[in-house]
Structures are given as structure tokens and as C-alpha cells.
Amino acid sequence: MKYKRIYILGPPGSGKSYLAKKISEKLYLPFKDMDDVRFIKKFTKARTKPQRKKLVDKILKTKRWVIDARGTEWDRHAMLKADLIIIMRIPFYRRTSNIIKRHFERKGSEIDEKFIHLFPLIKYSLSYRYGKRETSFNNTNSYLKKHNLKPIILKNRKQINKFLDKLKWPLKKNKLSSQRRATS
């Protein structure tokens, strides 16, 4: 499997960032977290939707990327440019566990969320499968069908690891991989 543009989506706590970072490391693809596009400073002041879309369009002009997203109206069009779309369908109990674990890992860091902020994330994660939000599974699935896009769906750690094992390293050394190796 050779991919240069990968779009990963799913609800909070599903492992999007984990998978995107692993793919980025393995294939030497630049990692783009849509939270960095959404916010001027992580999880504080949000950019406007036109500002976000403009930043996403700038990313899409590049030839190589792995995007960690939720499939919002301002980043959803990136799916049309992707070589591969991955949907994370991790069970709700695991997502909730991941959200809580991530909260405690962030304690004392620059991203120091209050415990009360976990509840909207957990609620959103709960509503992902059958909810009415634009980023819900059903709405995302409708978008994919409308554009005849065929994602792969990963449902657990075993499937994630199997997918990562199948990924091939780039055959040719490119500028990005040379730079990364030089800095390691």
C-alpha cells in the first residue's frame, strides 16, 4: 500500500491522532491536526470557518499529508483529494476511556483542560454513531456515498496494528525523509 494523502476521521477518543502520527512516522508524511487549524491557540480562541477552510486549502495544495479530522464542513472536502480515507469506529467505552486518560496526561501541560470539559466530549462521542451532527457517522457516510468514496473502517487496536503492518515504507528517499532522518 502506497499513499501520499491520507484523511483520518472519527469521534473524540477514537485514536485519530495516534494513528495519524504513526502513519506520519512510518511513511514520512507531514501530519496535519485539524485542531491546529481550528484554533489560533490550541483549544482556546477559534478561527472563523472561512479562515479554517483557507488553511485547509493551503494544506491540500501540497502533495503529501496525513490529516486527523472530524469531517467538518471546512475540512470535509479534503476527502476528495485523499488517496485513502480511514474511519475510526472504536467502541464508545474505549473512546470514553481514551478521553479520560488523555485528560490526565495533559494535566499541567500547555493544554490543561478542566475536568468539566470532558463531559461535552464524551457526549459528542456518544452521539457520533446515530447523532444528527454534520460530523456524525451517518452524515459522513452519506457524504462518502454521494462522492463515491470508499473508506476503510478500523474498529479496534488489532485492526489498527494490522493496517500499520501492511503500510510500505517509501521506496525512494525523498527530501522530507532525508530531513527527518538527519534530525533524529
Side-chain angles (χ1 to χ4, degrees):
M1 293 189 282
K2 296 179 193 169
Y3 304 107
K4 293 181 181 177
R5 295 176 172 188
I6 301 171
Y7 186 95
I8 303 170
L9 70 152
S14 61
K16 299 180 303 286
S17 295
Y18 169 83
L19 181 60
K21 288 174 185 173
K22 290 291 186 187
I23 291 170
S24 174
E25 291 169 8
K26 191 165 186 177
L27 299 182
Y28 302 113
L29 295 174
F31 168 58
K32 305 295 181 181
D33 184 343
M34 290 299 104
D35 284 338
D36 294 335
V37 171
R38 182 176 179 201
F39 296 101
I40 293 169
K41 185 179 176 202
K42 200 103 167 180
F43 307 121
T44 56
K45 185 177 179 188
R47 291 184 171 91
T48 65
K49 289 181 182 179
Q51 289 172 325
R52 296 175 208 171
K53 187 175 181 314
K54 187 176 180 179
L55 288 172
V56 171
D57 289 343
K58 186 176 177 182
I59 292 167
L60 297 182
K61 287 179 183 174
T62 63
K63 294 180 182 181
R64 301 164 43 79
W65 41 259
V66 56
I67 290 177
D68 157 8
R70 289 190 191 169
T72 60
E73 67 190 62
W74 49 269
D75 70 28
R76 181 174 272 195
H77 63 293
M79 287 187 245
L80 302 172
K81 301 278 187 183
D83 300 323
L84 175 66
I85 300 167
I86 301 171
I87 298 177
M88 304 297 285
R89 287 262 317 270
I90 307 303
F92 173 69
Y93 75 90
R94 175 60 63 204
R95 296 190 314 256
T96 302
S97 171
N98 290 344
I99 290 167
I100 293 168
K101 179 181 172 188
R102 180 176 62 201
H103 168 77
F104 287 108
E105 287 172 351
R106 288 179 176 170
K107 273 300 214 198
S109 73
E110 66 180 61
I111 307 169
D112 195 1
E113 302 168 310
K114 295 188 183 333
F115 193 74
I116 193 93
H117 295 143
L118 294 180
F119 297 105
L121 278 175
I122 292 169
K123 182 179 175 186
Y124 168 57
S125 184
L126 177 62
S127 70
Y128 175 74
R129 182 68 176 106
Y130 300 105
K132 303 287 187 223
R133 285 178 176 232
E134 162 199 29
T135 56
S136 72
F137 178 78
N138 290 336
N139 287 336
T140 299
N141 208 26
S142 295
Y143 182 86
L144 293 165
K145 285 180 180 177
K146 176 182 172 184
H147 295 284
N148 199 28
L149 299 170
K150 307 276 190 242
I152 66 166
I153 296 174
L154 300 176
K155 297 180 180 180
N156 55 48
R157 177 71 71 174
K158 185 177 180 180
Q159 290 179 354
I160 292 167
N161 289 335
K162 189 175 180 181
F163 171 79
L164 287 169
D165 288 343
K166 286 183 180 180
L167 285 179
K168 301 267 190 269
W169 291 86
L171 295 176
K172 295 180 182 178
K173 288 185 180 179
N174 59 38
K175 196 174 186 179
L176 180 62
S177 64
S178 300
Q179 288 173 347
R180 285 211 176 167
R181 288 182 186 176
T183 59
S184 295

